[in-house]
Amino acid sequence: MMGKAPTENSKGVRLPNLPQVRDIENEEFENMLSGKQTAQQALDNAVKRGNAAIKQANGQ
C-alpha cells in the first residue's frame, strides 16, 4: 500500500502499523477510563508508543 503513489481511489490515511497504533490508543484510553492514569498521561503515552510503532514499521 505504501509502495506507490496514491490514486484517486486510494487517497486518505496512509499510516504504517495502523492496527498496532489503534491498539495502543485503545490500551491507553482504557487505562485512563479505569483511573490508572490521567487523560494527559494517556495522550502522552499514546503519542510516544504510537510514534515508536510507526518508526519500527519504517525500519528506523
Side-chain angles (χ1 to χ4, degrees):
M1 184 170 163
M2 302 284 294
K4 56 186 173 183
T7 67
E8 285 300 317
N9 294 325
S10 68
K11 288 183 179 178
V13 176
R14 295 167 98 46
L15 180 67
N17 268 357
L18 179 59
Q20 290 83 356
V21 172
R22 202 177 299 138
D23 289 344
I24 289 167
E25 292 172 351
N26 288 338
E27 289 171 11
E28 296 300 335
F29 186 65
E30 287 176 17
N31 286 337
M32 181 206 52
L33 291 176
S34 68
K36 295 179 183 174
Q37 61 189 8
T38 66
Q40 188 62 56
Q41 289 170 325
L43 291 171
D44 291 343
N45 290 342
V47 168
K48 183 178 178 182
R49 293 178 60 205
N51 285 342
I54 293 168
K55 283 182 183 179
Q56 179 186 20
N58 288 329
Q60 297 176 347

